[in-house]
Amino acid sequence: SSEVLEAIENVIQGVFQSLAQKKAPVLTVANRTDWRNIEFRDSVGLQMIPGCTTKQIRSDCPQTARRFALMLKILSMIYKMVQSNTYATKRDIYYSDTLLFGSQSVVDQIINDISCMLKIPRRSLHVLSTTKGFVAGNLCYTEEDGTKVNCTCSGTAVTVPSNVQGIKNLTSHAKFILIVEKDATFQRLLDDDFFSKVSPCIMITGRGIPDLNTRLLVRKLWDSFQIPIFTLMDADPHGVEIMCVYKYGSVSMSFEAHHLTVPSVKWLGLLPSDLQRLNVCKDALIPFTKQDENKLSSILKRPYIACQPLWKNELEIMAASKLKAEIQVLTSLSSDYLSRVYLPNKLQFGGWL
């Protein structure tokens, strides 16, 4: 915490020095969303380059003065929380003054900018994300406050903890981890008691694009158990994008890649080639939209796809057919095909990429 306080004090000292010299104070932040500032490394994923380009948030410029003020406001809130050892979610910060901040996304962006500017992980700033992910299966752990959590014993899922860093005493006999894209598929596998039928496993869903806590938990489980991690996604560009976030990270959070990415993640399904192999009826597939085409062509150009020739083949099958499929398409073969046939066969015979 002393490191965080010192980093904030240095920023404020810079503001005072500018004012003392009768200059307009300026905050300098990295261009987090610029692909030119990102490099790809197999062992880490997408990470920010050391000498990346920056932008200035000036206090004397009409375009950035408001953002400058909001950054100082949130810095002061973080400073107080670190001093008093209290925590707040990003929603708490937004709702502390909705008129001032205007929208939740403004708060989210500023907190990420501050984390990147100070070079301090967001959870060390005492700002927690609102969790939307679920975990179930062969896993027990103790939360920071001493609460013991057993994900094995209930037929319902457990919410991913809001302070993943604080959990300890993780125990599991799981043979693998299965990341499921969608809540509906996750619930279906839960109802089918999948995580105990095939072999003990841990199931996680970020319910779409994963929040920070879900990504942190996947990383923590991998660090703790070093067991295979498989993804079950829709066979569409959006599903591939989500899988890439778990495996390689996102551009906007590339400054935290070392804590968030799990480069060992494997693509289990739903593969575009599976649709042909299983003779899934064409009528059950969904035609591409223009947005799908743009998303897929952007993914194909990314640096990590060149290292994954088998992934590239699958994406090219998708691009050629201009058809996509949700995991639920397997119910057209039989209602429990996913948990009874598809996943057990894939896991037994190595049908992942």
Side-chain angles (χ1 to χ4, degrees), residues 23-42:
K23 291 180 185 166
V26 169
L27 296 174
T28 304
V29 297
N31 275 324
R32 289 186 297 113
T33 53
D34 190 336
W35 273 93
R36 288 169 300 184
N37 286 333
I38 310 297
E39 65 178 359
F40 169 66
R41 279 181 47 201
D42 242 353

Side-chain angles (χ1 to χ4, degrees), residues 182-234:
K182 282 186 181 155
D183 194 22
T185 310
F186 181 86
Q187 293 297 340
R188 179 64 206 247
L189 290 172
L190 209 55
D191 294 343
D192 290 350
D193 201 20
F194 173 76
F195 63 78
S196 56
K197 268 184 189 162
V198 179
S199 65
C201 74
I202 300 167
M203 294 197 315
I204 292 180
T205 180
R207 300 165 76 195
I209 295 169
D211 58 88
L212 194 69
N213 294 326
T214 304
R215 290 174 63 190
L216 283 167
L217 182 63
V218 171
R219 176 64 198 229
K220 187 157 191 137
L221 292 173
W222 185 64
D223 286 339
S224 303
F225 305 124
Q226 298 286 308
I227 53 178
I229 301 184
F230 302 114
T231 56
L232 181 62
M233 305 280 150
D234 288 341

Side-chain angles (χ1 to χ4, degrees), residues 20 33 49 98 114 128 132 178 205 210 223 239 257 264 280 307 312 318 324 327:
T33 53
I49 59 174
T98 53
I114 287 172
L128 304 173
K132 62 178 181 131
L178 182 66
T205 180
D223 286 339
S264 65
V280 173
C307 311
K312 194 168 184 229
M318 202 191 293
K324 58 185 181 177
I327 298 160

Side-chain angles (χ1 to χ4, degrees), residues 99-244:
L99 283 176
L100 176 69
F101 294 118
S103 76
Q104 181 70 61
S105 64
V106 168
V107 172
D108 297 354
Q109 284 168 14
I110 288 176
I111 288 165
N112 286 342
D113 276 343
I114 287 172
S115 174
C116 185
M117 177 176 75
L118 301 179
K119 295 185 170 50
I120 288 170
R122 193 168 79 194
R123 56 208 168 278
S124 300
L125 301 177
H126 286 229
V127 179
L128 304 173
S129 319
T130 311
T131 296
K132 62 178 181 131
F134 288 132
V135 58
N138 196 291
L139 175 68
C140 299
Y141 57 85
T142 308
E143 291 200 340
E144 196 175 30
D145 63 1
T147 307
K148 287 185 167 57
V149 178
N150 185 348
C151 305
T152 316
C153 62
S154 61
T156 56
V158 172
T159 307
V160 168
S162 58
N163 190 356
V164 175
Q165 196 185 17
I167 67 173
K168 49 190 183 292
N169 306 332
L170 286 88
T171 56
S172 175
H173 302 294
K175 297 286 185 279
F176 62 91
I177 295 163
L178 182 66
I179 300 171
V180 183
E181 177 187 348
K182 282 186 181 155
D183 194 22
T185 310
F186 181 86
Q187 293 297 340
R188 179 64 206 247
L189 290 172
L190 209 55
D191 294 343
D192 290 350
D193 201 20
F194 173 76
F195 63 78
S196 56
K197 268 184 189 162
V198 179
S199 65
C201 74
I202 300 167
M203 294 197 315
I204 292 180
T205 180
R207 300 165 76 195
I209 295 169
D211 58 88
L212 194 69
N213 294 326
T214 304
R215 290 174 63 190
L216 283 167
L217 182 63
V218 171
R219 176 64 198 229
K220 187 157 191 137
L221 292 173
W222 185 64
D223 286 339
S224 303
F225 305 124
Q226 298 286 308
I227 53 178
I229 301 184
F230 302 114
T231 56
L232 181 62
M233 305 280 150
D234 288 341
D236 66 9
H238 190 64
V240 174
E241 174 87 280
I242 289 169
M243 175 170 60
C244 291

Side-chain angles (χ1 to χ4, degrees), residues 74-87:
I74 292 177
L75 276 168
S76 78
M77 294 172 85
I78 290 169
Y79 193 85
K80 283 176 195 157
M81 288 192 296
V82 175
Q83 267 188 326
S84 59
N85 196 26
T86 54
Y87 288 82

Side-chain angles (χ1 to χ4, degrees), residues 338-350:
L338 176 66
S339 58
R340 185 176 55 84
V341 182
Y342 182 82
L343 288 175
N345 283 352
K346 283 257 173 177
L347 293 160
Q348 188 178 348
F349 300 114

